[in-house]
Amino acid sequence: MARRILKTKQVKIADLIPYPGNPRTHNMDLIVESLEAHGQFRAIVVRQKDMMVLAGHGTVQAARSLGWDVVDAHLIECDDDQARAINLVDNKSNDDAGYDEKALLAMLQDAPGLKGTGFEKSDLTRLQARTVPPEPPGSQAAAVKTVSILVTC
């Protein structure tokens, strides 16, 4: 059976059933912080026939901990094999993702603050160290550094 989104709607958290044996663990503090700062901006994925959560378990747990009664969900039709595959690929695709570190650094530097981003000052410092090339020898900045070393001696 092909997967098909039937509709997107708010569903009661109490009606949702976690996928049995979902292997993903979550950074609940980060998800709670995101929900508090931005609300839910991405729907979870739920198999309509039994209200089983296929993707978005962390969002459901965080919303429940915040006292929410409902979350937005994509309701889909799929068989058991597809449900398992959807759960697995949702978890694995996050593991295999990466960043364009220069683009990430630019976004973080342009952000008005880091609250609600999942990033901390130490992440920004690490990115700056990895993505900002050292000054080439003979440049004005390198000359200033050399002069300051000579003056300090």
mmCIF file of all heavy atoms in Angstrom, residues 9-39:
data_model
loop_
_atom_site.group_PDB
_atom_site.id
_atom_site.type_symbol
_atom_site.label_atom_id
_atom_site.label_comp_id
_atom_site.label_asym_id
_atom_site.label_seq_id
_atom_site.Cartn_x
_atom_site.Cartn_y
_atom_site.Cartn_z
ATOM 1 N N LYS A 9 -4.179 17.689 10.852
ATOM 2 C CA LYS A 9 -5.115 18.269 11.810
ATOM 3 C C LYS A 9 -4.555 18.165 13.219
ATOM 4 O O LYS A 9 -3.563 17.461 13.453
ATOM 5 C CB LYS A 9 -6.476 17.597 11.721
ATOM 6 C CG LYS A 9 -6.508 16.153 12.204
ATOM 7 C CD LYS A 9 -7.914 15.600 12.149
ATOM 8 C CE LYS A 9 -8.165 14.675 13.317
ATOM 9 N NZ LYS A 9 -9.546 14.289 13.484
ATOM 10 N N GLN A 10 -5.204 18.836 14.145
ATOM 11 C CA GLN A 10 -4.823 18.699 15.543
ATOM 12 C C GLN A 10 -5.413 17.397 16.072
ATOM 13 O O GLN A 10 -6.572 17.072 15.798
ATOM 14 C CB GLN A 10 -5.332 19.879 16.369
ATOM 15 C CG GLN A 10 -4.564 21.148 16.113
ATOM 16 C CD GLN A 10 -4.860 22.219 17.157
ATOM 17 O OE1 GLN A 10 -5.964 22.304 17.677
ATOM 18 N NE2 GLN A 10 -3.863 23.026 17.444
ATOM 19 N N VAL A 11 -4.574 16.665 16.834
ATOM 20 C CA VAL A 11 -5.033 15.419 17.444
ATOM 21 C C VAL A 11 -4.771 15.487 18.943
ATOM 22 O O VAL A 11 -3.849 16.170 19.399
ATOM 23 C CB VAL A 11 -4.323 14.183 16.831
ATOM 24 C CG1 VAL A 11 -4.672 14.045 15.351
ATOM 25 C CG2 VAL A 11 -2.819 14.251 17.014
ATOM 26 N N LYS A 12 -5.583 14.779 19.694
ATOM 27 C CA LYS A 12 -5.413 14.738 21.142
ATOM 28 C C LYS A 12 -4.201 13.874 21.484
ATOM 29 O O LYS A 12 -4.086 12.740 21.006
ATOM 30 C CB LYS A 12 -6.651 14.170 21.816
ATOM 31 C CG LYS A 12 -7.863 15.053 21.726
ATOM 32 C CD LYS A 12 -9.050 14.398 22.422
ATOM 33 C CE LYS A 12 -10.283 15.269 22.262
ATOM 34 N NZ LYS A 12 -11.471 14.612 22.853
ATOM 35 N N ILE A 13 -3.331 14.418 22.318
ATOM 36 C CA ILE A 13 -2.146 13.671 22.743
ATOM 37 C C ILE A 13 -2.553 12.378 23.432
ATOM 38 O O ILE A 13 -1.923 11.333 23.236
ATOM 39 C CB ILE A 13 -1.256 14.549 23.649
ATOM 40 C CG1 ILE A 13 -0.643 15.685 22.825
ATOM 41 C CG2 ILE A 13 -0.174 13.724 24.330
ATOM 42 C CD1 ILE A 13 0.122 16.714 23.629
ATOM 43 N N ALA A 14 -3.627 12.414 24.194
ATOM 44 C CA ALA A 14 -4.094 11.221 24.916
ATOM 45 C C ALA A 14 -4.487 10.091 23.969
ATOM 46 O O ALA A 14 -4.480 8.919 24.369
ATOM 47 C CB ALA A 14 -5.267 11.593 25.819
ATOM 48 N N ASP A 15 -4.816 10.401 22.723
ATOM 49 C CA ASP A 15 -5.231 9.378 21.756
ATOM 50 C C ASP A 15 -4.049 8.737 21.026
ATOM 51 O O ASP A 15 -4.230 7.760 20.302
ATOM 52 C CB ASP A 15 -6.169 9.983 20.705
ATOM 53 C CG ASP A 15 -7.507 10.409 21.283
ATOM 54 O OD1 ASP A 15 -7.855 9.964 22.395
ATOM 55 O OD2 ASP A 15 -8.192 11.221 20.610
ATOM 56 N N LEU A 16 -2.857 9.282 21.183
ATOM 57 C CA LEU A 16 -1.696 8.813 20.427
ATOM 58 C C LEU A 16 -1.033 7.612 21.078
ATOM 59 O O LEU A 16 -0.920 7.533 22.302
ATOM 60 C CB LEU A 16 -0.676 9.943 20.283
ATOM 61 C CG LEU A 16 -1.174 11.161 19.502
ATOM 62 C CD1 LEU A 16 -0.141 12.281 19.566
ATOM 63 C CD2 LEU A 16 -1.490 10.794 18.058
ATOM 64 N N ILE A 17 -0.565 6.705 20.239
ATOM 65 C CA ILE A 17 0.147 5.499 20.685
ATOM 66 C C ILE A 17 1.571 5.580 20.135
ATOM 67 O O ILE A 17 1.758 5.689 18.916
ATOM 68 C CB ILE A 17 -0.543 4.225 20.153
ATOM 69 C CG1 ILE A 17 -1.979 4.153 20.669
ATOM 70 C CG2 ILE A 17 0.257 2.976 20.512
ATOM 71 C CD1 ILE A 17 -2.819 3.115 19.955
ATOM 72 N N PRO A 18 2.596 5.522 20.994
ATOM 73 C CA PRO A 18 3.975 5.540 20.491
ATOM 74 C C PRO A 18 4.256 4.294 19.652
ATOM 75 O O PRO A 18 3.712 3.220 19.906
ATOM 76 C CB PRO A 18 4.836 5.529 21.756
ATOM 77 C CG PRO A 18 3.911 5.806 22.887
ATOM 78 C CD PRO A 18 2.528 5.448 22.442
ATOM 79 N N TYR A 19 5.115 4.441 18.656
ATOM 80 C CA TYR A 19 5.519 3.279 17.862
ATOM 81 C C TYR A 19 6.235 2.301 18.791
ATOM 82 O O TYR A 19 7.161 2.691 19.516
ATOM 83 C CB TYR A 19 6.439 3.694 16.703
ATOM 84 C CG TYR A 19 6.710 2.538 15.775
ATOM 85 C CD1 TYR A 19 5.815 2.247 14.762
ATOM 86 C CD2 TYR A 19 7.813 1.724 15.953
ATOM 87 C CE1 TYR A 19 6.029 1.169 13.922
ATOM 88 C CE2 TYR A 19 8.030 0.640 15.118
ATOM 89 C CZ TYR A 19 7.132 0.367 14.109
ATOM 90 O OH TYR A 19 7.333 -0.713 13.288
ATOM 91 N N PRO A 20 5.833 1.025 18.811
ATOM 92 C CA PRO A 20 6.455 0.056 19.724
ATOM 93 C C PRO A 20 7.950 -0.100 19.459
ATOM 94 O O PRO A 20 8.365 -0.322 18.325
ATOM 95 C CB PRO A 20 5.730 -1.260 19.413
ATOM 96 C CG PRO A 20 4.524 -0.890 18.630
ATOM 97 C CD PRO A 20 4.807 0.428 17.975
ATOM 98 N N GLY A 21 8.744 0.072 20.498
ATOM 99 C CA GLY A 21 10.181 -0.117 20.378
ATOM 100 C C GLY A 21 10.889 1.014 19.653
ATOM 101 O O GLY A 21 12.013 0.823 19.191
ATOM 102 N N ASN A 22 10.259 2.188 19.534
ATOM 103 C CA ASN A 22 10.937 3.314 18.874
ATOM 104 C C ASN A 22 12.324 3.471 19.495
ATOM 105 O O ASN A 22 12.452 3.693 20.696
ATOM 106 C CB ASN A 22 10.130 4.599 19.045
ATOM 107 C CG ASN A 22 10.815 5.791 18.421
ATOM 108 O OD1 ASN A 22 11.334 5.713 17.322
ATOM 109 N ND2 ASN A 22 10.833 6.902 19.132
ATOM 110 N N PRO A 23 13.382 3.363 18.684
ATOM 111 C CA PRO A 23 14.736 3.354 19.238
ATOM 112 C C PRO A 23 15.334 4.738 19.518
ATOM 113 O O PRO A 23 16.383 4.839 20.148
ATOM 114 C CB PRO A 23 15.550 2.656 18.147
ATOM 115 C CG PRO A 23 14.840 3.012 16.881
ATOM 116 C CD PRO A 23 13.375 3.064 17.245
ATOM 117 N N ARG A 24 14.678 5.790 19.091
ATOM 118 C CA ARG A 24 15.261 7.132 19.207
ATOM 119 C C ARG A 24 15.140 7.654 20.637
ATOM 120 O O ARG A 24 14.114 7.515 21.279
ATOM 121 C CB ARG A 24 14.544 8.082 18.251
ATOM 122 C CG ARG A 24 14.944 9.541 18.344
ATOM 123 C CD ARG A 24 16.406 9.781 18.136
ATOM 124 N NE ARG A 24 16.697 10.079 16.751
ATOM 125 C CZ ARG A 24 17.924 10.101 16.274
ATOM 126 N NH1 ARG A 24 18.960 9.849 17.034
ATOM 127 N NH2 ARG A 24 18.133 10.374 15.022
ATOM 128 N N THR A 25 16.237 8.229 21.116
ATOM 129 C CA THR A 25 16.207 8.969 22.381
ATOM 130 C C THR A 25 16.195 10.453 22.019
ATOM 131 O O THR A 25 16.553 10.824 20.900
ATOM 132 C CB THR A 25 17.426 8.644 23.262
ATOM 133 O OG1 THR A 25 18.620 8.976 22.547
ATOM 134 C CG2 THR A 25 17.437 7.162 23.647
ATOM 135 N N HIS A 26 15.787 11.284 22.955
ATOM 136 C CA HIS A 26 15.588 12.697 22.635
ATOM 137 C C HIS A 26 16.256 13.600 23.654
ATOM 138 O O HIS A 26 16.382 13.246 24.820
ATOM 139 C CB HIS A 26 14.086 13.024 22.604
ATOM 140 C CG HIS A 26 13.332 12.219 21.616
ATOM 141 N ND1 HIS A 26 12.693 11.048 21.947
ATOM 142 C CD2 HIS A 26 13.133 12.394 20.290
ATOM 143 C CE1 HIS A 26 12.126 10.539 20.875
ATOM 144 N NE2 HIS A 26 12.378 11.339 19.858
ATOM 145 N N ASN A 27 16.632 14.779 23.207
ATOM 146 C CA ASN A 27 17.081 15.838 24.098
ATOM 147 C C ASN A 27 15.829 16.620 24.472
ATOM 148 O O ASN A 27 15.457 17.588 23.810
ATOM 149 C CB ASN A 27 18.107 16.737 23.390
ATOM 150 C CG ASN A 27 18.614 17.852 24.275
ATOM 151 O OD1 ASN A 27 17.966 18.245 25.240
ATOM 152 N ND2 ASN A 27 19.771 18.382 23.932
ATOM 153 N N MET A 28 15.162 16.163 25.524
ATOM 154 C CA MET A 28 13.872 16.732 25.889
ATOM 155 C C MET A 28 13.978 18.200 26.274
ATOM 156 O O MET A 28 13.090 18.989 25.957
ATOM 157 C CB MET A 28 13.212 15.925 27.005
ATOM 158 C CG MET A 28 12.820 14.510 26.593
ATOM 159 S SD MET A 28 11.868 14.429 25.063
ATOM 160 C CE MET A 28 10.444 15.394 25.506
ATOM 161 N N ASP A 29 15.060 18.594 26.942
ATOM 162 C CA ASP A 29 15.217 20.010 27.306
ATOM 163 C C ASP A 29 15.216 20.886 26.056
ATOM 164 O O ASP A 29 14.602 21.955 26.041
ATOM 165 C CB ASP A 29 16.505 20.234 28.106
ATOM 166 C CG ASP A 29 16.481 19.599 29.484
ATOM 167 O OD1 ASP A 29 15.369 19.338 30.001
ATOM 168 O OD2 ASP A 29 17.558 19.370 30.054
ATOM 169 N N LEU A 30 15.894 20.445 25.020
ATOM 170 C CA LEU A 30 15.973 21.203 23.776
ATOM 171 C C LEU A 30 14.602 21.290 23.099
ATOM 172 O O LEU A 30 14.198 22.359 22.633
ATOM 173 C CB LEU A 30 16.986 20.558 22.827
ATOM 174 C CG LEU A 30 17.165 21.208 21.465
ATOM 175 C CD1 LEU A 30 17.690 22.628 21.603
ATOM 176 C CD2 LEU A 30 18.106 20.377 20.620
ATOM 177 N N ILE A 31 13.877 20.182 23.052
ATOM 178 C CA ILE A 31 12.564 20.182 22.393
ATOM 179 C C ILE A 31 11.576 21.030 23.187
ATOM 180 O O ILE A 31 10.807 21.810 22.603
ATOM 181 C CB ILE A 31 12.047 18.741 22.192
ATOM 182 C CG1 ILE A 31 13.019 17.942 21.316
ATOM 183 C CG2 ILE A 31 10.655 18.758 21.562
ATOM 184 C CD1 ILE A 31 12.718 16.459 21.239
ATOM 185 N N VAL A 32 11.608 20.922 24.504
ATOM 186 C CA VAL A 32 10.727 21.754 25.339
ATOM 187 C C VAL A 32 11.041 23.229 25.114
ATOM 188 O O VAL A 32 10.135 24.052 24.926
ATOM 189 C CB VAL A 32 10.853 21.373 26.830
ATOM 190 C CG1 VAL A 32 10.226 22.427 27.728
ATOM 191 C CG2 VAL A 32 10.212 20.014 27.098
ATOM 192 N N GLU A 33 12.330 23.584 25.115
ATOM 193 C CA GLU A 33 12.724 24.978 24.892
ATOM 194 C C GLU A 33 12.223 25.473 23.541
ATOM 195 O O GLU A 33 11.720 26.592 23.417
ATOM 196 C CB GLU A 33 14.242 25.129 24.964
ATOM 197 C CG GLU A 33 14.724 26.549 24.720
ATOM 198 C CD GLU A 33 16.245 26.682 24.730
ATOM 199 O OE1 GLU A 33 16.930 25.872 25.377
ATOM 200 O OE2 GLU A 33 16.731 27.615 24.071
ATOM 201 N N SER A 34 12.331 24.641 22.524
ATOM 202 C CA SER A 34 11.865 25.015 21.195
ATOM 203 C C SER A 34 10.352 25.219 21.172
ATOM 204 O O SER A 34 9.857 26.207 20.618
ATOM 205 C CB SER A 34 12.264 23.944 20.177
ATOM 206 O OG SER A 34 11.723 24.248 18.907
ATOM 207 N N LEU A 35 9.606 24.306 21.775
ATOM 208 C CA LEU A 35 8.149 24.451 21.808
ATOM 209 C C LEU A 35 7.735 25.702 22.577
ATOM 210 O O LEU A 35 6.798 26.401 22.178
ATOM 211 C CB LEU A 35 7.488 23.211 22.420
ATOM 212 C CG LEU A 35 7.520 21.937 21.583
ATOM 213 C CD1 LEU A 35 6.869 20.786 22.341
ATOM 214 C CD2 LEU A 35 6.843 22.138 20.232
ATOM 215 N N GLU A 36 8.436 25.985 23.663
ATOM 216 C CA GLU A 36 8.122 27.193 24.435
ATOM 217 C C GLU A 36 8.427 28.459 23.637
ATOM 218 O O GLU A 36 7.670 29.435 23.682
ATOM 219 C CB GLU A 36 8.912 27.213 25.747
ATOM 220 C CG GLU A 36 8.432 26.217 26.759
ATOM 221 C CD GLU A 36 9.287 26.177 28.019
ATOM 222 O OE1 GLU A 36 10.511 26.383 27.930
ATOM 223 O OE2 GLU A 36 8.716 25.926 29.090
ATOM 224 N N ALA A 37 9.530 28.457 22.896
ATOM 225 C CA ALA A 37 9.953 29.652 22.162
ATOM 226 C C ALA A 37 9.163 29.857 20.869
ATOM 227 O O ALA A 37 8.872 30.989 20.492
ATOM 228 C CB ALA A 37 11.450 29.561 21.843
ATOM 229 N N HIS A 38 8.820 28.755 20.181
ATOM 230 C CA HIS A 38 8.274 28.878 18.829
ATOM 231 C C HIS A 38 6.934 28.190 18.619
ATOM 232 O O HIS A 38 6.350 28.321 17.549
ATOM 233 C CB HIS A 38 9.265 28.294 17.816
ATOM 234 C CG HIS A 38 10.665 28.758 18.008
ATOM 235 N ND1 HIS A 38 11.057 30.064 17.814
ATOM 236 C CD2 HIS A 38 11.771 28.097 18.416
ATOM 237 C CE1 HIS A 38 12.341 30.179 18.080
ATOM 238 N NE2 HIS A 38 12.798 29.006 18.450
ATOM 239 N N GLY A 39 6.484 27.401 19.580
ATOM 240 C CA GLY A 39 5.301 26.576 19.342
ATOM 241 C C GLY A 39 5.676 25.405 18.445
ATOM 242 O O GLY A 39 6.839 25.184 18.131
#
